[in-house]
Amino acid sequence: APDPPAVTQAVPAAAKRHLVTMMFADLSGSTRLSAQLDAEIYAALLEQLGALCRRVIAAHGGSVVRVHGDGMLAMFGHPLAREDDARRATEAALDLHAAVAALRIAGVAATPGLRMHTGIHAGQVLVGEGDAVRGRYELSGIAPNIAARLSDSAHAGEVLVSEDSLGRRDAQRFIVSSRRLLQPQGAPAPITVLCIEGRATAAPQDAGRRPLHTPFIGRDDALRQLAAALASARAAKLAAVAL
């Protein structure tokens, strides 16, 4: 598989900061597969794969940033972040894996089993307009690279999602086969990742209400203002009692 697409360190023109969930998916065993198939057939397979990625990602409300050979970088939460961006990215990964496994290569009687491996991670990213070379968007930030490194760490057929990105409540919607502590290159600290095996059949606990431990997404300024207002109210109450 090719190296993950590099993310520019320069600030793109007119770029804006967004909290997004990045998803990097790669075709497993692509080097071996390209050696087994004629160049024209392999090129046709990659074209099918790219079209499939765009269709599945769009169905879950995401955007394909770029298709890089047999790899794909997608983004969820742009232009508007949602509380369930990581959940939708995870569901998109599962659907993409299933769709790729069902692909049949034209002109190949016995199509080899096709599998993907995927990494998903959320973080703050500067998003600007891209071009034909760089992809649909120009991205600056560590989250895309971490998603790509998680994909590198995944085995064929695996979906690895950083636990903090998915959150406890949404993690209940999936079958988690294992938890791993990884130190992706470029990450400031080790990351706990969940290996997602499929969708859970039972509904999450307290599905009708949000548990208090669920983190707010993209509301740091609002939370700081709320904390300041609460502190001010407490101070005013204490002053009134003293008088």
Side-chain angles (χ1 to χ4, degrees), residues 216 220-232:
F216 287 105
D220 292 343
D221 290 341
L223 289 175
R224 280 193 291 269
Q225 291 175 15
L226 181 61
L230 179 60
S232 177

Side-chain angles (χ1 to χ4, degrees), residues 21-26 49-67 71-78 82 85-97 99-100 116 118-120 136-137:
T21 298
M22 306 302 307
M23 168 182 161
F24 189 85
D26 211 355
L49 183 63
L52 186 59
C53 288
R54 293 183 178 92
R55 185 165 66 250
V56 171
I57 297 303
H60 290 274
S63 302
V64 172
V65 176
R66 63 177 70 96
V67 176
M72 180 272 304
L73 180 66
M75 176 169 57
F76 293 78
H78 178 271
R82 304 178 188 177
D85 284 333
R87 175 181 64 80
R88 290 185 294 108
T90 305
E91 291 178 341
L94 292 174
D95 287 350
L96 180 61
H97 283 215
V100 168
M116 303 286 286
T118 299
I120 298 172
R136 183 177 177 184
Y137 298 104

Side-chain angles (χ1 to χ4, degrees), residues 204-222:
Q205 297 177 2
D206 299 324
R209 58 188 176 88
R210 180 176 299 279
L212 294 177
H213 61 253
T214 300
F216 287 105
I217 302 298
R219 300 183 185 177
D220 292 343
D221 290 341

Side-chain angles (χ1 to χ4, degrees), residues 160-218:
L160 296 185
V161 187
S162 56
E163 186 174 39
D164 288 345
S165 299
L166 188 56
R168 295 180 184 177
R169 180 175 181 270
D170 281 341
Q172 297 177 43
R173 298 177 179 272
F174 302 98
I175 300 171
V176 179
S177 62
S178 65
R179 279 178 167 80
R180 304 174 191 170
L181 188 64
L182 300 179
Q183 177 71 68
Q185 182 180 351
I191 296 174
T192 300
V193 299
L194 309 176
C195 182
I196 305 297
E197 192 172 283
R199 290 177 173 85
T201 54
Q205 297 177 2
D206 299 324
R209 58 188 176 88
R210 180 176 299 279
L212 294 177
H213 61 253
T214 300
F216 287 105
I217 302 298

